[in-house]
Amino acid sequence: MKKRLNDLRHAFTPAAFAALVLYAFYRLLAYSSYVTNFGLWAEPLGYVSNIPFMVGAAVGNLISCAIVFVLYASGRLRPCGLGSRSSLVLVAVIYLVVALVPNDILNAVVASSFLGVLWGLTITVVGLVALELLTGTDSPVVLIVQFATSAFLFAIGSYALNLLPDTVSALLCVAVSVALIPGMALGRAALDVPQPMVETTSLATLRATLRECSTPILAVAFFELVTGLVNMYAYASHSSFTISTQAPLEGSLICAVLLTAFVVLTARIPHNRFMYLAVFPGVMAIFLALPYFGDVWGRSLSTVIYTAYTFTATLSMFCVVQACRRAGDCIYGVGALLSVAMRLCLMVGLALGWWFGNLTEGGTFVHLSIVCVVCVYALGVVVLLWGYRNSRQKPVVEVVEVVVEKTPATFEESVADRVDELTRVHNLSPRERDVLVGLAQGNTAASIAAGLCISTSTAQGYIKSLYAKLGVNRKQQVIDLFQK
């Protein structure tokens, strides 16, 4: 146990920890502004009862995602090319306006819809930039801990905001928005952006990314539909099957504890194939029985639903970031598609919930609709299994590779060949490769940092990560690797 914790501590560089905190702040800001409609609604189910705001948020989100995707597909949006400063400034200004302008003016349908559009436009951009910071680590263990810990910090922060007066909460959200502006810039400065091995167009790279993460996107989108349906049905029909505002926070805390405990105890992460073929279908199958116990369990059931949803969403985001990392793709294209899929499914679920909630036999329809959603999802899983089976049966063409060793002409060429070999064997990131070259030349951390235009502490973090991968603990041992 102690060795696993030490390995995890060494793998966590200052940049990885900073990305974790920044992502937690983004989630806190996005959740607080959506649930309270920038401080206008503080009652349970307020984010459901203010329909104009939700419609506006959906419209703003879809517009923002469409713009981002077009820029990405046309090759005009490169890694670290999306700015969030204007969006964060706008969020801070909106909170200040809401705190100063009388509520009866802002609660009008047009004003609420306009605020919702602004929320969708701004938070979507901030979310993509915050998610991009998590692509800077090549360690899947570090990545899953980042997601789990950020979920824990976000939930604790949201609980704290709920205990404070509305004005104080709004001012704290303003402070978070302003603090994220330099935070995002510093996080990007330390970000190790993966570069594609070959030059490809954005859409070709996106296809490679989607091949790995289409199933997680499908899973979280269907869960969004179910939760939206249950939320709206509970609100419209005044059912005892209540989905309270606090349920998402409780679900985040439970998922954070479970995921962190699993990683710490096993020093591993769930395999992608296991998640696709067992975890997602298994969790979704639970929903076949849950709706029939809504009137008995009430709030406890709502916590179970949101825990399952948060668990699926966390693992889905993990798979998406991992796919982008392996494909050398930036997060913008697949992130925009994921956001659109989730938002559209949420709106469909809300519409179905509203319709069912106003019917005499609405409860029966809710049960049947959730069963139908699960059946459609199960059909998707069958298609996935069939495709996986066919891919396993493809004929294998045996390729005989003839390797001709070339004697290096110079010492520099031999070092470069050895660096390439160690990078391939130990799966080093591009930045770790640059640090390895500096260590092979006998340079100190300060000189390596100066040559790479990064801080000394960041260079030391890369050195620690490099030592862990190479199985050494000092610079001379690294030099010895080049003398063998």
Side-chain angles (χ1 to χ4, degrees):
M1 174 69 71
K2 185 176 180 181
K3 182 180 183 300
R4 292 169 182 167
L5 291 175
N6 287 334
D7 292 341
L8 184 61
R9 181 173 57 85
H10 288 306
F12 248 100
T13 63
F17 182 77
L20 180 157
V21 175
L22 291 171
Y23 188 70
F25 274 135
Y26 149 71
R27 292 193 61 183
L28 173 65
L29 187 66
Y31 176 79
S32 177
S33 55
Y34 188 66
V35 169
T36 66
N37 305 159
F38 291 109
L40 288 176
W41 296 77
E43 61 186 63
L45 291 175
Y47 58 108
V48 173
S49 56
N50 193 352
I51 304 299
F53 183 90
M54 297 193 68
V55 173
V59 172
N61 174 258
L62 294 177
I63 292 175
S64 183
C65 288
I67 294 174
V68 170
F69 186 80
V70 169
L71 293 175
Y72 165 85
S74 61
R76 300 177 184 178
L77 199 57
R78 298 298 182 183
C80 294
L82 190 63
S84 63
R85 178 181 302 177
S86 300
S87 299
L88 289 168
V89 170
L90 184 57
V91 170
V93 171
I94 294 173
Y95 266 109
L96 290 176
V97 170
V98 169
L100 298 176
V101 176
N103 286 354
D104 56 345
I105 297 177
L106 294 175
N107 286 335
V109 173
V110 176
S112 295
S113 300
F114 182 68
L115 287 177
V117 171
L118 292 180
W119 183 92
L121 291 172
T122 55
I123 293 299
T124 301
V125 173
V126 178
L128 290 175
V129 175
L131 190 61
E132 186 179 31
L133 297 178
L134 300 181
T135 64
T137 175
D138 59 346
S139 171
V141 175
V142 171
L143 179 60
I144 198 68
V145 172
Q146 283 178 317
F147 274 115
T149 309
S150 63
F152 179 82
L153 295 176
F154 137 76
I156 293 298
S158 299
Y159 273 125
L161 287 179
N162 291 337
L163 298 176
L164 299 174
D166 295 342
T167 304
V168 177
S169 298
L171 292 177
L172 285 177
C173 289
V174 172
V176 170
S177 303
V178 174
L180 279 174
I181 296 175
M184 293 289 192
L186 292 175
R188 280 183 161 181
L191 183 63
D192 182 20
V193 181
Q195 297 297 331
M197 298 301 294
V198 294
E199 292 295 330
T200 56
T201 62
S202 296
L203 290 180
T205 308
L206 178 64
R207 284 194 293 269
T209 308
L210 285 176
R211 277 196 294 268
E212 290 195 42
C213 60
S214 56
T215 302
I217 293 176
L218 177 69
V220 72
F222 271 111
F223 252 113
E224 195 80 32
L225 189 152
V226 172
T227 51
L229 187 154
V230 173
N231 260 319
M232 182 58 76
Y233 172 76
Y235 168 75
S237 64
H238 306 287
S239 170
S240 59
F241 187 24
T242 303
I243 307 297
S244 66
T245 303
Q246 297 300 321
L249 301 180
E250 296 169 0
S252 295
L253 289 175
I254 295 172
C255 289
V257 172
L258 292 178
L259 285 174
T260 304
F262 177 83
V263 173
V264 169
L265 292 174
T266 65
R268 298 177 182 177
I269 57 168
H271 192 276
N272 283 8
R273 190 178 303 163
F274 173 73
M275 286 188 283
Y276 295 170
L277 304 181
V279 175
F280 292 152
V283 173
M284 203 66 179
I286 297 175
F287 278 70
L288 285 169
L290 286 183
Y292 299 98
F293 297 96
D295 294 332
V296 178
W297 290 345
R299 178 181 172 83
S300 300
L301 182 57
S302 71
T303 302
V304 172
I305 290 177
Y306 267 109
T307 301
Y309 166 71
T310 308
F311 185 75
T312 303
T314 302
L315 290 181
S316 297
M317 296 304 296
F318 167 78
C319 294
V320 168
V321 174
Q322 279 287 90
C324 289
R325 179 76 190 185
R326 283 191 289 267
D329 191 12
C330 67
I331 199 70
Y332 302 141
V334 69
L337 292 179
L338 173 63
S339 183
V340 168
M342 294 176 64
R343 186 63 54 180
L344 289 178
C345 286
L346 173 63
M347 298 309 294
V348 171
L350 291 172
L352 291 174
W354 179 266
W355 182 50
F356 294 149
N358 289 282
L359 293 176
T360 305
E361 298 295 332
T364 302
F365 283 103
V366 169
H367 298 162
L368 292 176
S369 63
I370 294 179
V371 171
C372 290
V373 167
V374 174
C375 291
V376 173
Y377 182 80
L379 178 62
V381 173
V382 171
V383 173
L384 173 72
L385 288 169
W386 184 263
Y388 174 71
R389 176 177 176 271
N390 290 338
S391 66
R392 297 281 293 180
Q393 294 179 349
K394 287 182 178 179
V396 179
V397 179
E398 184 177 354
V399 178
V400 179
E401 182 180 3
V402 179
V403 180
V404 180
E405 294 187 0
K406 174 185 176 182
T407 303
T410 64
F411 174 75
E412 289 76 10
E413 289 185 8
S414 65
V415 170
D417 292 341
R418 183 61 171 157
V419 167
D420 292 337
E421 179 185 356
L422 292 173
T423 301
R424 184 179 64 258
V425 172
H426 298 282
N427 193 24
L428 302 182
S429 68
R431 185 62 77 188
E432 288 172 341
R433 183 188 187 281
D434 297 337
V435 173
L436 176 62
V437 173
L439 291 176
Q441 297 171 350
N443 295 331
T444 63
S447 59
I448 292 174
L452 298 178
C453 298
I454 58 178
S455 65
T456 304
S457 61
T458 301
Q460 290 173 342
Y462 282 117
I463 291 174
K464 289 181 180 179
S465 174
L466 188 61
Y467 282 176
K469 290 186 177 182
L470 296 178
V472 300
N473 52 30
R474 62 180 184 272
K475 182 170 64 177
Q476 184 57 47
Q477 291 178 316
V478 177
I479 297 175
D480 291 343
L481 294 176
F482 289 84
Q483 296 176 350
K484 292 181 179 180

